[in-house]
Amino acid sequence: MISFIVQGPTHYASQCPFSLQIGDTRVDPEQSFTSQDCVDSLRKFYPGCEIIVSCTTGDADNLKDVDKLLYVTDNMLESEDNINRQILSSQAVKHASNDMVCKIRSDMVALTSDLLPYMESKIGSKRLDSHKMFDNYVIISNWSTDKNHYYHPADFLFLGTKKDLQSIFNVPQRVDRQWRVGPEQYIALRCIENHGLGEYIDYAWLKNHGSDNTHLEQNTPPKDFYIENWWKIFYSNYYVVDLGSQSGIISKKYPERVVRNHNLINNTDWHRGHGEYIK
Protein backbone atom coordinates (compact mmCIF):
# COMPACT_ATOMS: atom_id res chain seq x y z
CA MET A 1 0.00 0.00 0.00
CA ILE A 2 1.09 3.61 0.39
CA SER A 3 2.23 5.96 3.14
CA PHE A 4 1.06 9.58 3.10
CA ILE A 5 3.19 12.20 4.84
CA VAL A 6 0.94 15.12 5.78
CA GLN A 7 3.46 17.94 6.23
CA GLY A 8 3.03 21.46 7.57
CA PRO A 9 0.92 23.54 9.97
CA THR A 10 -2.25 22.09 11.52
CA HIS A 11 -4.37 25.22 10.99
CA TYR A 12 -4.57 27.38 7.89
CA ALA A 13 -6.97 29.52 5.86
CA SER A 14 -7.78 29.84 2.18
CA GLN A 15 -5.76 32.48 0.33
CA CYS A 16 -8.04 32.38 -2.72
CA PRO A 17 -9.63 35.83 -3.29
CA PHE A 18 -12.89 34.32 -4.57
CA SER A 19 -15.18 31.37 -3.83
CA LEU A 20 -14.52 28.21 -5.78
CA GLN A 21 -16.44 24.95 -6.21
CA ILE A 22 -14.47 21.87 -7.27
CA GLY A 23 -16.64 18.77 -7.36
CA ASP A 24 -18.37 18.54 -3.99
CA THR A 25 -15.77 20.76 -2.33
CA ARG A 26 -16.38 24.48 -1.91
CA VAL A 27 -13.76 26.91 -0.67
CA ASP A 28 -14.49 30.52 0.29
CA PRO A 29 -12.03 33.41 0.85
CA GLU A 30 -10.25 33.20 4.24
CA GLN A 31 -12.16 30.02 5.13
CA SER A 32 -10.40 28.19 7.97
CA PHE A 33 -9.43 24.51 7.89
CA THR A 34 -7.30 22.03 9.77
CA SER A 35 -5.23 19.13 8.53
CA GLN A 36 -8.00 16.83 9.78
CA ASP A 37 -9.67 17.61 6.43
CA CYS A 38 -6.64 16.13 4.67
CA VAL A 39 -6.53 13.05 6.91
CA ASP A 40 -10.28 12.36 6.52
CA SER A 41 -10.11 12.63 2.73
CA LEU A 42 -7.17 10.21 2.54
CA ARG A 43 -9.00 7.70 4.74
CA LYS A 44 -12.02 7.96 2.43
CA PHE A 45 -10.27 7.48 -0.91
CA TYR A 46 -7.19 5.46 0.10
CA PRO A 47 -8.45 3.02 2.75
CA GLY A 48 -5.66 1.06 4.38
CA CYS A 49 -3.05 3.72 3.75
CA GLU A 50 -0.57 4.77 6.41
CA ILE A 51 -0.89 8.42 7.48
CA ILE A 52 2.02 10.20 9.13
CA VAL A 53 1.47 13.79 10.27
CA SER A 54 4.66 15.84 10.43
CA CYS A 55 3.66 19.08 12.13
CA THR A 56 5.54 22.37 12.39
CA THR A 57 3.15 24.11 14.80
CA GLY A 58 2.98 21.75 17.77
CA ASP A 59 -0.82 21.51 17.89
CA ALA A 60 -1.76 18.24 16.18
CA ASP A 61 -2.47 16.09 19.26
CA ASN A 62 -6.23 16.13 18.66
CA LEU A 63 -6.08 14.85 15.09
CA LYS A 64 -7.87 11.51 14.64
CA ASP A 65 -7.07 8.44 12.52
CA VAL A 66 -3.36 9.25 12.36
CA ASP A 67 -0.85 6.41 12.45
CA LYS A 68 2.20 8.45 13.47
CA LEU A 69 2.58 12.01 14.72
CA LEU A 70 5.91 13.83 14.51
CA TYR A 71 6.76 17.35 15.63
CA VAL A 72 9.41 19.73 14.32
CA THR A 73 10.49 21.99 17.18
CA ASP A 74 12.53 25.18 17.19
CA ASN A 75 15.49 23.55 18.91
CA MET A 76 15.91 21.36 15.80
CA LEU A 77 16.61 24.41 13.62
CA GLU A 78 20.18 25.34 12.71
CA SER A 79 18.95 28.86 11.94
CA GLU A 80 15.62 30.69 12.24
CA ASP A 81 14.35 30.17 8.70
CA ASN A 82 10.99 28.72 7.75
CA ILE A 83 12.60 26.69 4.99
CA ASN A 84 14.32 24.63 7.68
CA ARG A 85 10.95 23.71 9.17
CA GLN A 86 9.88 22.60 5.70
CA ILE A 87 13.02 20.51 5.23
CA LEU A 88 12.78 18.83 8.64
CA SER A 89 9.05 18.15 8.43
CA SER A 90 9.44 16.67 4.93
CA GLN A 91 12.18 14.36 6.17
CA ALA A 92 9.41 12.42 7.92
CA VAL A 93 9.40 10.39 4.70
CA LYS A 94 12.06 8.21 6.37
CA HIS A 95 9.47 7.03 8.92
CA ALA A 96 7.15 5.58 6.25
CA SER A 97 6.45 1.85 6.56
CA ASN A 98 5.70 1.38 2.84
CA ASP A 99 7.93 1.60 -0.21
CA MET A 100 5.46 3.88 -2.03
CA VAL A 101 5.19 7.30 -0.37
CA CYS A 102 3.28 10.50 -1.06
CA LYS A 103 4.37 13.70 0.69
CA ILE A 104 1.58 16.28 0.62
CA ARG A 105 1.03 19.57 2.39
CA SER A 106 -1.46 19.70 5.22
CA ASP A 107 -3.79 21.99 3.24
CA MET A 108 -4.28 19.38 0.50
CA VAL A 109 -7.37 17.18 0.27
CA ALA A 110 -8.23 14.18 -1.87
CA LEU A 111 -11.37 14.44 -4.01
CA THR A 112 -10.98 11.06 -5.72
CA SER A 113 -8.60 8.09 -5.80
CA ASP A 114 -7.11 9.22 -9.13
CA LEU A 115 -3.53 8.93 -7.85
CA LEU A 116 -3.89 5.15 -7.79
CA PRO A 117 -2.74 4.52 -11.40
CA TYR A 118 0.47 6.44 -10.70
CA MET A 119 1.08 4.33 -7.59
CA GLU A 120 0.55 1.06 -9.41
CA SER A 121 2.60 1.59 -12.58
CA LYS A 122 5.79 3.37 -13.56
CA ILE A 123 5.95 6.31 -15.98
CA GLY A 124 7.49 4.83 -19.13
CA SER A 125 8.79 8.04 -20.72
CA LYS A 126 12.41 8.16 -21.85
CA ARG A 127 15.01 9.48 -19.42
CA LEU A 128 18.62 10.61 -19.90
CA ASP A 129 21.07 8.47 -17.91
CA SER A 130 23.42 11.47 -17.71
CA HIS A 131 20.77 13.52 -15.86
CA LYS A 132 19.00 10.91 -13.70
CA MET A 133 18.74 11.47 -9.97
CA PHE A 134 16.02 8.97 -9.06
CA ASP A 135 15.45 5.27 -9.73
CA ASN A 136 12.00 6.12 -11.10
CA TYR A 137 10.08 9.24 -12.00
CA VAL A 138 8.80 11.22 -9.02
CA ILE A 139 5.24 12.48 -9.55
CA ILE A 140 4.71 16.16 -8.71
CA SER A 141 1.71 18.46 -8.96
CA ASN A 142 3.39 21.13 -11.08
CA TRP A 143 6.73 22.61 -12.00
CA SER A 144 6.54 26.29 -11.28
CA THR A 145 8.52 29.47 -10.92
CA ASP A 146 8.27 32.36 -8.49
CA LYS A 147 9.85 35.72 -9.33
CA ASN A 148 11.28 34.00 -12.42
CA HIS A 149 13.92 32.05 -10.58
CA TYR A 150 14.71 28.60 -11.86
CA TYR A 151 11.62 26.45 -12.27
CA HIS A 152 11.27 23.96 -9.42
CA PRO A 153 8.81 21.46 -7.93
CA ALA A 154 6.05 23.07 -5.88
CA ASP A 155 5.79 21.63 -2.38
CA PHE A 156 2.17 20.50 -2.83
CA LEU A 157 2.70 16.86 -3.75
CA PHE A 158 5.54 14.37 -4.25
CA LEU A 159 4.73 10.73 -5.08
CA GLY A 160 7.38 8.07 -5.53
CA THR A 161 9.45 5.44 -3.82
CA LYS A 162 10.59 6.02 -0.27
CA LYS A 163 14.20 5.94 -1.43
CA ASP A 164 13.69 8.60 -4.10
CA LEU A 165 11.67 10.93 -1.87
CA GLN A 166 14.21 10.63 0.94
CA SER A 167 16.90 11.77 -1.48
CA ILE A 168 14.89 14.93 -2.27
CA PHE A 169 14.56 16.07 1.34
CA ASN A 170 17.83 14.76 2.79
CA VAL A 171 19.46 18.17 2.31
CA PRO A 172 21.27 20.54 4.67
CA GLN A 173 19.35 23.29 6.40
CA ARG A 174 19.80 26.83 5.10
CA VAL A 175 22.05 28.89 7.37
CA ASP A 176 22.70 31.91 5.09
CA ARG A 177 21.16 33.73 2.13
CA GLN A 178 23.96 33.46 -0.42
CA TRP A 179 21.50 32.19 -3.02
CA ARG A 180 18.56 34.39 -4.11
CA VAL A 181 16.06 31.55 -4.12
CA GLY A 182 12.88 30.48 -2.38
CA PRO A 183 12.37 27.40 -0.17
CA GLU A 184 11.39 24.88 -2.86
CA GLN A 185 14.12 26.13 -5.18
CA TYR A 186 16.71 25.72 -2.45
CA ILE A 187 15.63 22.12 -1.79
CA ALA A 188 15.67 21.30 -5.52
CA LEU A 189 19.19 22.72 -5.92
CA ARG A 190 20.59 20.88 -2.90
CA CYS A 191 19.03 17.66 -4.19
CA ILE A 192 20.80 18.16 -7.53
CA GLU A 193 24.09 18.66 -5.69
CA ASN A 194 23.55 15.51 -3.61
CA HIS A 195 23.12 13.50 -6.80
CA GLY A 196 26.41 14.74 -8.24
CA LEU A 197 24.96 17.06 -10.87
CA GLY A 198 26.28 20.34 -9.45
CA GLU A 199 28.07 21.06 -12.75
CA TYR A 200 24.66 22.02 -14.14
CA ILE A 201 24.03 24.72 -11.51
CA ASP A 202 24.94 28.32 -12.36
CA TYR A 203 26.22 29.35 -8.94
CA ALA A 204 27.29 32.81 -10.08
CA TRP A 205 23.77 33.59 -11.29
CA LEU A 206 22.22 32.30 -8.07
CA LYS A 207 24.35 34.68 -6.01
CA ASN A 208 24.14 37.77 -8.21
CA HIS A 209 20.91 37.82 -10.22
CA GLY A 210 18.96 40.32 -8.11
CA SER A 211 17.26 41.15 -4.85
CA ASP A 212 14.62 39.14 -3.03
CA ASN A 213 12.05 41.70 -4.19
CA THR A 214 12.30 40.99 -7.91
CA HIS A 215 9.10 40.38 -9.84
CA LEU A 216 8.03 38.10 -12.66
CA GLU A 217 9.62 38.92 -16.03
CA GLN A 218 12.70 40.38 -14.29
CA ASN A 219 16.08 38.77 -13.69
CA THR A 220 15.21 35.73 -15.77
CA PRO A 221 17.83 32.96 -15.73
CA PRO A 222 19.89 33.18 -18.94
CA LYS A 223 19.00 30.66 -21.62
CA ASP A 224 22.37 28.96 -21.80
CA PHE A 225 24.15 25.70 -20.99
CA TYR A 226 22.84 25.71 -17.42
CA ILE A 227 19.19 26.22 -18.32
CA GLU A 228 19.27 23.56 -21.04
CA ASN A 229 20.64 21.04 -18.55
CA TRP A 230 18.21 22.22 -15.84
CA TRP A 231 15.36 21.22 -18.16
CA LYS A 232 17.01 17.89 -18.94
CA ILE A 233 17.21 17.17 -15.20
CA PHE A 234 13.55 18.07 -14.82
CA TYR A 235 12.27 15.93 -17.70
CA SER A 236 14.44 12.98 -16.63
CA ASN A 237 13.27 12.92 -13.00
CA TYR A 238 9.89 14.60 -12.42
CA TYR A 239 6.54 13.85 -14.04
CA VAL A 240 3.75 16.41 -13.68
CA VAL A 241 0.12 15.54 -12.94
CA ASP A 242 -2.33 18.42 -12.68
CA LEU A 243 -4.03 19.32 -9.44
CA GLY A 244 -7.78 18.78 -9.60
CA SER A 245 -9.28 16.48 -12.21
CA GLN A 246 -6.10 14.52 -13.10
CA SER A 247 -4.63 13.83 -9.65
CA GLY A 248 -7.83 14.11 -7.62
CA ILE A 249 -5.92 16.33 -5.16
CA ILE A 250 -6.42 20.05 -4.52
CA SER A 251 -5.10 22.63 -2.11
CA LYS A 252 -7.72 24.22 0.11
CA LYS A 253 -5.32 27.08 0.73
CA TYR A 254 -4.82 27.75 -3.00
CA PRO A 255 -7.81 26.02 -4.66
CA GLU A 256 -7.53 28.14 -7.80
CA ARG A 257 -4.25 26.48 -8.75
CA VAL A 258 -5.93 23.83 -10.85
CA VAL A 259 -5.97 25.94 -14.01
CA ARG A 260 -3.42 27.07 -16.60
CA ASN A 261 -1.00 29.64 -15.27
CA HIS A 262 1.76 31.50 -17.10
CA ASN A 263 4.40 30.54 -14.53
CA LEU A 264 3.37 26.90 -14.10
CA ILE A 265 4.05 23.83 -16.21
CA ASN A 266 1.09 21.45 -16.31
CA ASN A 267 0.79 17.91 -17.67
CA THR A 268 0.23 19.02 -21.27
CA ASP A 269 3.26 21.32 -21.09
CA TRP A 270 5.32 18.48 -19.61
CA HIS A 271 4.72 16.19 -22.57
CA ARG A 272 5.52 18.98 -25.03
CA GLY A 273 8.74 19.89 -23.24
CA HIS A 274 9.80 16.28 -22.76
CA GLY A 275 9.70 15.79 -26.52
CA GLU A 276 11.87 18.88 -27.00
CA TYR A 277 14.61 18.15 -24.45
CA ILE A 278 14.79 14.36 -24.15
CA LYS A 279 15.99 13.07 -27.51
Side-chain angles (χ1 to χ4, degrees):
M1 194 48 187
I2 185 170
S3 298
F4 284 94
I5 311 300
V6 178
Q7 171 263 328
T10 303
H11 297 82
Y12 54 93
S14 172
Q15 301 295 308
C16 185
F18 50 84
S19 297
L20 196 63
Q21 184 83 29
I22 303 175
D24 295 331
T25 300
R26 177 183 174 86
V27 181
D28 295 313
E30 299 184 2
Q31 184 175 349
S32 297
F33 307 95
T34 74
S35 45
Q36 188 68 57
D37 295 53
C38 176
V39 172
D40 291 346
S41 70
L42 296 176
R43 288 291 180 216
K44 178 179 180 180
F45 292 106
Y46 299 96
C49 71
E50 178 182 46
I51 297 179
I52 300 173
V53 170
S54 185
C55 179
T56 58
T57 48
D59 55 357
D61 287 349
N62 292 329
L63 294 180
K64 300 176 181 178
D65 291 329
V66 173
D67 295 302
K68 297 176 184 177
L69 173 59
L70 306 169
Y71 281 123
V72 171
T73 55
D74 288 349
N75 63 358
M76 300 167 67
L77 305 179
E78 294 180 14
S79 68
E80 181 54 45
D81 190 327
N82 197 51
I83 184 177
N84 294 332
R85 292 182 176 84
Q86 183 174 329
I87 291 170
L88 292 173
S89 56
S90 298
Q91 288 176 353
V93 166
K94 65 186 178 184
H95 296 287
S97 301
N98 297 298
D99 182 58
M100 183 61 62
V101 179
C102 183
K103 198 287 297 185
I104 59 175
R105 288 191 349 181
S106 55
D107 57 290
M108 311 300 285
V109 293
L111 306 178
T112 67
S113 59
D114 286 344
L115 277 180
L116 279 174
Y118 303 104
M119 300 176 189
E120 296 169 350
S121 61
K122 297 178 181 178
I123 304 298
S125 300
K126 181 180 178 181
R127 305 169 67 198
L128 298 178
D129 289 338
S130 57
H131 290 70
K132 281 184 184 178
M133 299 190 295
F134 312 135
D135 291 340
N136 301 293
Y137 271 111
V138 170
I139 310 297
I140 59 175
S141 60
N142 58 57
W143 181 256
S144 61
T145 182
D146 179 36
K147 302 174 184 174
N148 247 353
H149 295 132
Y150 284 169
Y151 278 79
H152 58 278
D155 63 343
F156 290 145
L157 177 149
F158 291 83
L159 171 64
T161 67
K162 179 179 178 179
K163 176 184 175 184
D164 286 341
L165 263 62
Q166 279 187 273
S167 77
I168 294 174
F169 301 114
N170 186 25
V171 299
Q173 295 184 41
R174 184 164 69 179
V175 295
D176 57 50
R177 295 297 182 106
Q178 290 187 3
W179 297 351
R180 303 288 189 170
V181 297
E184 292 81 21
Q185 295 155 335
Y186 174 87
I187 293 171
L189 288 160
R190 290 302 191 193
C191 176
I192 290 172
E193 287 183 328
N194 284 352
H195 284 276
L197 300 179
E199 64 186 290
Y200 300 135
I201 298 175
D202 188 347
Y203 291 101
W205 185 87
L206 290 175
K207 292 180 179 180
N208 301 316
H209 78 276
S211 73
D212 290 328
N213 295 318
T214 56
H215 300 286
L216 286 171
E217 313 307 334
Q218 296 179 8
N219 297 310
T220 310
K223 294 182 179 179
D224 56 15
F225 163 85
Y226 295 106
I227 293 301
E228 179 180 351
N229 283 286
W230 185 264
W231 288 117
K232 289 179 179 179
I233 290 173
F234 165 48
Y235 289 115
S236 293
N237 293 282
Y238 298 102
Y239 181 84
V240 173
V241 296
D242 297 339
L243 293 176
S245 59
Q246 187 179 22
S247 65
I249 302 286
I250 67 164
S251 164
K252 278 195 169 184
K253 186 175 182 179
Y254 302 108
E256 74 278 13
R257 298 191 183 182
V258 297
V259 295
R260 187 71 179 89
N261 187 289
H262 74 284
N263 66 334
L264 180 152
I265 293 176
N266 62 17
N267 181 260
T268 299
D269 299 328
W270 187 93
H271 284 279
R272 184 185 303 115
H274 181 273
E276 177 181 352
Y277 283 96
I278 309 300
K279 306 294 186 181

